[in-house]
Each structure stands twice: as structure tokens, then as C-alpha cells.
Amino acid sequence: MALSWQEFQGFVGYVFSCAGYAVHDVSDQRFPNGTGVDLDLYADNIGGKLLARVEVRQFSPPNNIGADDARRFWGTLDIAGGIPGYLVTTSDFGAPARAVAAAAAVRGRLRLLNGQQLLRYIAYIRGSRVKEAGMRSPSTSAPTPPDCLFQADAVARRQTTETVVLTVGNNRGGVAKTTTALNLALALNERGWRVLLVDMDPQSSLTRGLPSPEEVPPSDSSLVDFFMRSVPLSQLVRSTRFKHLSLLPSHPDLKMLDTGGGARPDAELAFIAALHDPAVVSPSGEKFDWIILDTPPAQSFYTRTALAAAHFVLIPSAFDVWALLGINGVLETTRAMQGLMGTGVEPVGCLLTRYRASAVKENDWKQFVHDLAGRGLAPLKTKIRHDDRIENRNRQATGGRLAGILRFGQAPGTGLIDYQEALKELMQHVHHN
Amino acid sequence: MSTTTSSRPATQSQRIASVAEQIGATLGLDNHKLLGAILAEAAAEEARRNATFAEHIRAMYQAETKPTRQARTTRQSKLPKPPKPELRPLKRVESHEINIAAALDPYYLYEVYGADQLPLALDEFTVTKLKEAVQAVQKRHPDTKPTNSRNKPAVIDYVVRYVVNGR
């Protein structure tokens, strides 16, 4: 159903309102507010601090906004005292309009938001702020401007042909996220790939399970140093007792820095840029073929950031109602981060862990498959069968007694064999895309 | 007092025991197990020397191994079923929540798979589960019901008819 131009303008106002702005419709006012300005965006309340002005132009593709429209809005902004402005359209901008915006960008005022970017902005806002216009949470007290999209587009990211960045995430705890991240990393390692594990979980399970080699003096440096003191990630990567397997360690203090699930695009983008910096290599100077990020349970800043930083997300889940419900959260955040990053994280699928076939009802399984299908997903064919040996190894590993016990060559149990199969599927997906 | 004859066919070991018992009675020999083994060895020896006897044995054997109508039916039922066509989602329904505890929603399945694939998607569930889909339809179409709520094709037909056509 097509919207009228008034409805579309109202809708854009609603989007900015959800993004935290106090929105004032000024489309019926005359000069100096009038011509070309439809909405005024305030920080707190209408009439307070004016943050930006918006002009909304509903064009049908392939009709693009031309230079005249851009120039006229720029002029209006100039007259109004150099307030930044967003020219928003359902369509796109022609090269002349972009040239005008580039000229205006010298003073950082005119920003162009085309139909695709508007959809990205909506997706990001939907998954990043309280879902009620004008509502603010403590972590998102300030409005979230669309500028984060432009900043995200400017972040240089690794190509999947060089380094695959995979996030392992599910908002539910106890679904074997850490076990999955570790075992996939070890399986990759067995095949000769160079892997960096990033422990973004304040519980620091991976960090405990992967101690430094004996000859390396222990270090307390962790991601806390990056988030608190802006220490480059390249200085925080440490080796493990596995050759070609490095670790960006976590620390329990990370939870003190967690700002929750709300939008913090600047901090999110800072981590993404840091992780994708080619300078992040192993202590012996090797480039990584794979980077695997382990995430905490529940929606958190670290989950969001890990999803935004990744090319792919793998969702481990036990086949129980609560764990499967946790998938909804991670998918919602994934959509938000796809919005932020444009070409962003792609879900590989759902990996069922701790699987006991006898406990799965056929009707439930079918319903699950159909539920996933509606989200464009499928469960991986491989299921990680319940394996007591993995549980025992986890217990030993998190006790700091050397994760070398997880080595595959030593008569692996069903769970470890399943992880090797899961890796094959994962590799097919990654190389196919 | 009437005597009833069992209609169940004798097993092979029962038949061997019965023949040995009959011969044993005639010859006055009471170790029927041993007699059965000796009879088999003697028959084998006779079949080697006597072509007519051998042919008689073969004819009896073939008469008993000829497949019956029931056996053919059984064999046919063991043939692998043709694979069901793979369901292909036609669109994404991002707002749909993943929840296996939720009631089966035929309107969601219709949205994801379309009218053509809806019967196939419904067919994956048991009749008991399909009752949830029936209830979803009945919320929108009160006073309607499947022609036979215990018959899967009838239930699927009802759900498809009302979900796709609204009647």
C-alpha cells in the first residue's frame, strides 16, 4: 500500500521520534522555517535545543532527487543559521545532488538519506532503542542520529576471502556458545587455519580455558584495556598453548562496562574498526584466517558489537523452549546490526547442541523448522549430540587445567565428531557466499 | 465337546517333528529328533540317486515358496516412498516469533509457503497438532468445522479452504 506524501512525512517523523528526537512538524510554517523544511528535530523537547532539520521528498524510483532540491534545502539551512539537515527520500539522489551535499559537507550540514539508508536506519533503531516513540532508556538518553550509517560505511572491513569473522551468539545461556566457539576454533586449527578467538563474555570462560603457553609470563591485559583505555587490540592478542590459535582475552570487569542492549553506535563502530584493522595479527605476526567471537548470554553491548563486527553469525541452541526463544533476541539484534553496517552479518543457521533425539518431538521439530524458514534460516544438518565427555572437558578446562585435553586426535566422542561435521557445513556456507 | 483345529500354519520345526512322529510310530522308533535328522539324510541320499524323487522335492518346494497375494502386498509396502517435494519459503516474516510451544498457525504457514505449498506444510504434522490449526481457523470462521476431524486429509482440506479462500 503506497503512502501519501503526508503519510510518508508523518512516518519519517515517527522514525526520528523513535530514534530519540523530539520532532516538530513545521511543514505548514512559512519562511524562515517554511520552504523545504518539514520537520525540526530537538534534543529533549520541542522548542529546546534544535539539533537538525529534515526535508522529506517522496519520489518513486527511478526518479532521483536533483541538484536543485538539494541546493534549495542547503540554502534554507544556511539561512536558518547553519543547523545540520537531513534530506530524506524514498528514492535516491542523483550525482548532481550528491555533489551539492559534498560541497555542503565542508561545513558538515547537508546529509542525504536515500530509501535504502532509511530502511537501514529503521532496522537499527528498531533493534536498538525502546520501541515507543519518544521513550529513552538510561543507555540511550541521547538521540541516535542517522550519521552512524555514514560512519559505518566508512569503516574498512576485512574481506571474507582473507579473514572470516564469525560470531557465535544466542541470548539464552547454557546453549554451548563457548563450547561451540572453542571446538570450531580447534577444528579449524586442526586443519591448519590460523584462528583468533575473541572472548567477549565477561564470564571469561574461554579465557580461563585457554591459558597462555608456559613459557609466556601471565598477563592481565584484556578487552577491558581496549574499552577503558583504548589500548589497540593488536597489543592485547595473546598466544595459547595451541599453535596458530590466539586469544583476545576477556575479564570479569567487562561486565562493569556493559551499557546494555541500547544503541551506542560510536562505541560499536570503534570496536569494529579495531578488530578489522590489519594490524591485529598473532603474537608471531601471522594473519588470521578466521576470527571467532564468543558472546555473553542476554542482550548486551558486547553481543551487539560482536554481531556488528562479524560477517556471519552461528546460533547454537539446545532444543528446549527457552533456548529456542533466545534465538528471537539474537535475530532481532542481527537485523539491527545489519541496518547499521549495511552489508552486515549474515546468519549461517541454527546449530542444535546437547541434542538428544529421543527428547525431540516430531511436531515440535517441524514447527521449529517452519519458524526458522520464515526468518530465512534453517537448522544445520549436523546436530551436536549430547556428549558427557565434552561436559567433563569443559569442567576441566574452566578449572584452568589446560584446554589441550580437548585435542581431537585423542579418540573424540560423538560431540567432537559432530563439531567437525558442523565445521564442514559452516565452511560450505562461508565459501558459497 | 467339540474339537477345534488351529488355523495357524505349522512352523517348519513343527512339521519336521510331526513327520518324524508319524514315521516313528510306523517303525516303532521313539527318538523323534534323531529320526528327523536321519530322515533328512536319507532323503538327501535318495534325491542324489533318484531323479524323479529329486524333481518331486523341487516341485513341492516351489509350490510352498510361490509368493502369495498377501506377501506381494507386504513387499510392495516396503518399497521406499517417493521423497516429498521440498518446501520452499516464498517470503520472510521477520515479525514471527520462533516458539515451538506456540499453537500451529496456518496463516503463518500460508504467508511463508503460499497456497500451493500449504497442504504439504500442514501434512508434516499429526492430526492432533493440526487441531491447533483448526482452532486458529475457527477463531476467524466460527461455526465451521472439518467434515471429519479425525481424518487428516479432511482436516487439511478444511484448513486450506478457509485459510486460502476464506471459506
Side-chain angles (χ1 to χ4, degrees), chain B residues 86-136:
Chain B
E86 197 177 328
L87 286 164
R88 291 188 181 281
L90 304 179
K91 66 177 286 195
R92 288 190 178 200
V93 186
E94 297 289 359
S95 57
H96 184 78
E97 190 178 57
I98 293 164
N99 183 4
I100 57 167
L104 182 60
D105 182 357
Y107 295 96
Y108 163 74
L109 292 177
Y110 175 45
E111 206 173 347
V112 174
Y113 295 112
D116 291 345
Q117 298 185 94
L118 179 59
L120 205 60
L122 291 168
D123 189 48
E124 294 193 335
F125 296 95
T126 60
V127 180
T128 311
K129 185 74 177 171
L130 286 173
K131 282 179 183 169
E132 296 172 1
V134 170
Q135 285 170 357

Side-chain angles (χ1 to χ4, degrees), chain A residues 349-370:
Chain A
C350 179
L351 175 65
L352 290 167
T353 56
R354 297 179 175 172
Y355 187 78
R356 292 179 195 269
S358 59
V360 177
K361 292 178 183 170
E362 185 71 10
N363 278 332
D364 289 348
W365 174 254
K366 293 294 181 188
Q367 180 136 346
F368 174 60
V369 170
H370 292 317

Side-chain angles (χ1 to χ4, degrees), chain A residues 79 129 200 233 292 396:
Chain A
I79 292 166
R129 299 189 68 100
M200 298 197 73
L233 293 182
I292 299 179
Q396 291 170 312

Side-chain angles (χ1 to χ4, degrees), chain B residues 128-160:
Chain B
T128 311
K129 185 74 177 171
L130 286 173
K131 282 179 183 169
E132 296 172 1
V134 170
Q135 285 170 357
V137 172
Q138 286 173 331
K139 273 187 186 170
R140 298 192 191 192
H141 302 279
D143 304 325
T144 64
K145 61 179 183 180
T147 52
N148 182 347
S149 59
R150 279 180 290 185
N151 179 272
K152 194 172 178 182
V155 172
I156 291 175
D157 180 61
Y158 164 79
V159 172
V160 170

Side-chain angles (χ1 to χ4, degrees), chain A residues 79-94:
Chain A
I79 292 166
I83 300 292
Y86 298 104
L87 184 50
V88 182
T89 182
T90 43
S91 178
D92 203 353
F93 300 93

